[in-house]
Amino acid sequence: MATVRTGSNLSQIAASLGVSAATVSNALSGKGRVSAELAEKIRATAADLGYTPSLTGRALRTGRTGVLGLVLPDIANPLFPQIAQAIEFAASNAGYGVLIADSRGDVAMQTEAINRLIERDVDGIIIVPRRGTRIADIGCPVAVIDSPSTPGNTVSADHWQGGQAIVEHLASLGHRKFLLIGNNPASNVQNDRIGGMKSRLPEGAHADVLWIERHEQTHGKGSLLGLRQKADEGFTAFAAVSDLHALRALTELQRAGVAVPEGGSVTGFDDLIWSSAVTPGLTTVRMNMTEIAEIAIAALVRVIEADPVSSSGIPRTATGTVAAAGRPGVPMQLVVRQTSAPPPPINRA
Amino acid sequence: MATVRTGSNLSQIAASLGVSAATVSNALSGKGRVSAELAEKIRATAADLGYTPSLTGRALRTGRTGVLGLVLPDIANPLFPQIAQAIEFAASNAGYGVLIADSRGDVAMQTEAINRLIERDVDGIIIVPRRGTRIADIGCPVAVIDSPSTPGNTVSADHWQGGQAIVEHLASLGHRKFLLIGNNPASNVQNDRIGGMKSRLPEGAHADVLWIERHEQTHGKGSLLGLRQKADEGFTAFAAVSDLHALRALTELQRAGVAVPEGGSVTGFDDLIWSSAVTPGLTTVRMNMTEIAEIAIAALVRVIEADPVSSSGIPRTATGTVAAAGRPGVPMQLVVRQTSAPPPPINRA
DNA sequence: CTGAAAGCGCTTACAG
DNA sequence: CTGAAAGCGCTTACAG
């Protein structure tokens, strides 16, 4: 519908100048082969006519649509806004559009979502998988944003280092008894975060891990996590692998009369929208989504554009995954919102 | 890249059967003009060859890309996951893809985001504006999801009725002193919600409105809202126009030693992810996003497809906004998570 | 009922 | 340096 917009196309510019469409194309794309004066005249006319190229026409000719697909299997993912924004920004800067596909939380529907994108001729796909789902080799370049522990991963935050930053901070405040709160023991991301946290426990410190999924299997969905009792047992640092779990911990503690942060500190991950809205704010650690998105898009674009379209318009056959070999995770940044020292050990069990 | 995927196209099917591409096209699109037997044979061959049509080729010929744009000016909008999912689902069911565009929270960049979509030849655009930004008439069908109070609006939740449902529920529990918490007095959505709440105050009840934006202008960003004092003054119902504000209220009250819900009820809007994760859960009211998305997409599709492409491929000129005249908002549904009666009036000032 | 032709807008060898 | 031609894959009048 470029023609709807502007009413102008290559042929019209060509006609109005008495040159050929090919020359206009060459001039506009700066592919040389056109004298400076003529090129200038062509550009001026194009601007006059408000010409914008039809990406559809170009796509049909070149075999590239200039569109990337974004797949987030875990729909309700509260990181979605951050991710989508960063990806769209990076893609747009690289000259690509972003088509979304949703698998409605159903891992099995992931394939279907991907197929919808492929049918629309996307040049590449960005996937943010959940629970370490492996992405089958589809006939299209793919960038996976997950944890460095995920095979085939392209880029990710350094979740391990994020965990270290959290525990270092809590330890420096004086905390020695940590309750690490996770949701899903099968998640690479969560395991990296917890691993990092454990790796920085100070001398003589103690850490337990509370897996909510397991807890709810015995205590029922949405049940209390028993944090009051944990506090009574002397736990003072409640470090969750996500802000959502941190929020759950914070409100449960407050509801049970444990003052936060004086009676216990609560930390999360990802700096989601509510982390700064609650009282007290959550100490957390944030990903550099801008950089992660840039790396993912750059890797994808490299594969897409490195594979030259055959001169006769025969489409390229690029497939497979962008290699991530040895790429370190992108560092996470600590956001401190609670700075109280733990209560004196007198209170502890 | 359809050819990359499958290696098959119309001509190949045609060649392998000794018929013309036109006949294959007619058979596959069911446009009649082909004998039942031949059509069947063509379909079988297409399936054998794993044929999927090139949407790019089709787009160039028909002037329609089958892609819709989704614009959310308010990037960090926590409703984004819900909206994007519902829109993608409805669009996909209607045979359309969804391209996202982000204006990075900058209302001025909204136009630029829209232009990016138009350059990509989208057939229509769905906009979820914030702060009642008016959408200029772009040369492309538009559906606006906002409040019924927004001029040019296409479809929305019935925010007014949602507010009524909340207050009716609180009143039935016995609450008589309401603090209505909003953020932005210029928002149509918030005003509708607050208007609805006020319209259902029971006999002898009292309601104050706390606008956070104004409050922060004097007390500083992120400062406490003084809810403890409000509680002391006898307010027992803290009804926010969004779950985010409700969360802020809940944690501030808990932090200040006010038990929720025994000492005061907190309600929100939208049933965002954390509403069911906090302790106690937030009573809230949720939009029927599925239905809203369906209506928006249906309206858009009607305009797009009602405007026939000229036979010679001259593109249609459909423009303007889908009319919303007299369409009532889609009802919101109450989600009750707190059922305590207010504390006895003895405690009140 | 079926097929040959034209053309959507573009880009890329190729010829001049 | 410049232009005419071919063709990406499709669909739609039009002719047979």
Side-chain angles (χ1 to χ4, degrees):
Chain A
M1 311 211 322
T3 63
V4 172
R5 267 169 13 240
T6 66
S8 91
N9 59 27
L10 274 191
S11 320
Q12 286 168 24
I13 297 174
S16 90
L17 283 166
V19 301
S20 78
T23 299
V24 175
S25 174
N26 282 326
L28 259 26
S29 65
K31 289 254 171 74
R33 299 139 117 175
V34 180
S35 67
E37 312 142 71
L38 181 53
E40 184 46 49
K41 214 155 46 169
I42 288 173
R43 276 192 293 272
T45 307
D48 274 5
L49 296 177
Y51 171 75
T52 45
S54 158
L55 300 187
T56 302
R58 180 179 291 170
L60 187 56
R61 174 63 228 239
T62 63
R64 284 185 197 154
T65 55
V67 174
L68 266 22
L70 175 61
V71 181
L72 293 126
D74 194 357
I75 352 151
N77 193 331
L79 265 172
F80 193 16
Q82 272 187 45
I83 295 173
Q85 181 196 346
I87 291 288
E88 198 270 339
F89 186 69
S92 163
N93 282 343
Y96 286 80
V98 177
L99 210 45
I100 57 174
D102 192 281
S103 34
R104 320 214 90 215
D106 181 348
V107 182
M109 282 180 69
Q110 185 166 298
T111 310
E112 200 185 308
I114 291 175
N115 283 338
R116 278 204 300 274
L117 292 175
I118 295 185
E119 271 172 20
R120 293 208 174 265
D121 302 342
V122 295
D123 292 338
I125 296 184
I126 298 108
I127 303 186
V128 187
R130 209 64 171 165
R131 313 211 162 197
T133 30
R134 288 224 51 173
I135 307 306
D137 187 11
I138 51 191
C140 163
V142 171
V144 177
I145 300 180
D146 195 10
S147 109
S149 308
T150 300
N153 171 67
T154 301
V155 58
S156 70
D158 192 337
H159 303 286
W160 184 276
Q161 166 265 330
Q164 294 181 321
I166 285 280
V167 163
E168 274 170 9
H169 169 71
L170 289 167
S172 78
L173 292 176
H175 292 275
R176 291 298 178 269
K177 207 156 173 194
F178 296 80
L179 187 67
L180 313 184
I181 303 172
N183 175 34
N184 172 17
S187 155
N188 287 325
V189 169
Q190 295 193 19
N191 278 311
D192 281 5
R193 291 175 173 185
I194 284 182
M197 293 200 266
K198 283 183 170 168
S199 76
R200 278 291 193 277
L201 290 173
E203 268 301 311
H206 172 77
D208 275 2
V209 180
L210 171 63
W211 291 109
I212 296 180
E213 244 182 30
R214 284 188 199 157
H215 176 86
E216 292 192 331
Q217 274 167 23
T218 41
H219 296 75
K221 179 109 180 155
S223 61
L224 292 182
L225 300 174
L227 300 186
R228 168 81 224 205
Q229 188 184 337
K230 294 293 183 186
D232 291 343
E233 289 170 11
F235 287 90
T236 62
F238 299 84
V241 298
S242 112
D243 284 342
L244 189 59
H245 303 139
L247 183 61
R248 184 166 174 181
L250 170 69
T251 53
E252 179 172 329
L253 286 167
Q254 286 193 143
R255 166 89 181 132
V258 177
V260 178
E262 297 84 354
S265 280
V266 178
T267 65
F269 258 88
D270 295 340
D271 198 19
L272 297 181
I273 183 88
W274 60 82
S275 304
S276 58
V278 293
T279 300
L282 294 173
T283 287
T284 189
V285 95
R286 61 177 300 154
M287 310 200 207
N288 189 339
M289 265 301 174
T290 306
E291 187 175 343
I292 290 173
E294 273 167 11
I295 293 175
I297 297 294
L300 218 38
V301 168
R302 200 180 318 127
V303 171
I304 292 168
E305 299 183 358
D307 183 31
V309 174
S310 134
S311 62
S312 58
I314 295 170
R316 70 220 170 69
T317 54
T319 116
T321 294
V322 177
R327 191 198 302 289
V330 176
M332 299 189 77
Q333 189 191 351
L334 187 68
V335 181
V336 175
R337 297 203 178 93
Q338 297 175 16
T339 55
S340 290
I346 294 122
N347 299 333
R348 305 189 197 169
Chain B
M1 311 211 319
T3 64
V4 172
R5 263 166 20 238
T6 65
S8 91
N9 58 28
L10 274 191
S11 320
Q12 286 168 25
I13 297 174
S16 90
L17 283 166
V19 300
S20 78
T23 299
V24 176
S25 174
N26 282 326
L28 260 26
S29 66
K31 290 254 170 74
R33 299 139 116 178
V34 180
S35 67
E37 312 141 72
L38 181 53
E40 184 46 51
K41 214 156 46 170
I42 288 172
R43 275 191 295 270
T45 308
D48 273 5
L49 296 177
Y51 171 75
T52 45
S54 158
L55 301 187
T56 303
R58 181 178 292 168
L60 187 56
R61 174 63 227 240
T62 62
R64 284 186 197 152
T65 55
V67 174
L68 265 23
L70 176 62
V71 182
L72 293 126
D74 194 356
I75 353 152
N77 193 331
L79 265 173
F80 192 18
Q82 272 187 45
I83 296 173
Q85 180 196 347
I87 292 288
E88 198 270 337
F89 186 68
S92 161
N93 282 343
Y96 288 81
V98 177
L99 210 45
I100 57 173
D102 192 281
S103 34
R104 319 214 91 214
D106 181 350
V107 181
M109 281 180 70
Q110 185 166 297
T111 311
E112 200 185 307
I114 291 174
N115 283 339
R116 278 204 300 274
L117 292 175
I118 294 185
E119 271 172 20
R120 292 208 173 267
D121 302 340
V122 295
D123 292 339
I125 296 184
I126 300 108
I127 303 187
V128 186
R130 210 60 174 167
R131 314 212 161 196
T133 32
R134 288 224 49 174
I135 307 305
D137 187 10
I138 52 191
C140 164
V142 171
V144 177
I145 300 180
D146 195 10
S147 109
S149 308
T150 300
N153 172 66
T154 301
V155 58
S156 70
D158 193 337
H159 303 286
W160 184 277
Q161 166 265 330
Q164 294 181 320
I166 284 279
V167 162
E168 274 171 11
H169 169 71
L170 289 167
S172 79
L173 292 175
H175 292 274
R176 291 298 179 268
K177 208 157 173 193
F178 295 81
L179 187 68
L180 312 184
I181 304 173
N183 176 35
N184 174 17
S187 154
N188 287 326
V189 169
Q190 295 193 18
N191 278 312
D192 281 4
R193 291 176 174 187
I194 284 181
M197 293 200 266
K198 283 182 170 170
S199 77
R200 277 293 192 277
L201 291 173
E203 268 301 310
H206 172 77
D208 275 3
V209 180
L210 171 64
W211 291 110
I212 296 180
E213 243 182 31
R214 284 188 198 156
H215 176 86
E216 293 192 332
Q217 274 167 24
T218 40
H219 296 76
K221 178 110 180 152
S223 61
L224 291 182
L225 300 175
L227 300 186
R228 167 81 224 203
Q229 187 183 338
K230 295 291 184 186
D232 290 344
E233 289 171 12
F235 286 91
T236 63
F238 299 84
V241 299
S242 113
D243 284 342
L244 190 58
H245 302 141
L247 183 60
R248 185 166 173 181
L250 170 69
T251 53
E252 180 173 329
L253 286 168
Q254 286 192 142
R255 166 90 181 131
V258 177
V260 179
E262 297 84 355
S265 282
V266 179
T267 65
F269 258 88
D270 295 339
D271 198 19
L272 298 180
I273 184 86
W274 61 82
S275 303
S276 57
V278 294
T279 301
L282 295 173
T283 287
T284 189
V285 96
R286 60 176 302 156
M287 309 200 207
N288 189 339
M289 266 302 174
T290 306
E291 188 176 344
I292 290 174
E294 272 166 12
I295 293 174
I297 296 294
L300 218 38
V301 167
R302 200 180 318 126
V303 171
I304 292 169
E305 300 183 358
D307 182 31
V309 175
S310 133
S311 62
S312 58
I314 295 170
R316 69 220 172 70
T317 54
T319 116
T321 294
V322 177
R327 190 196 303 288
V330 176
M332 299 188 77
Q333 189 191 350
L334 187 68
V335 181
V336 175
R337 298 202 177 93
Q338 297 174 16
T339 55
S340 290
I346 294 124
N347 300 332
R348 304 188 199 168

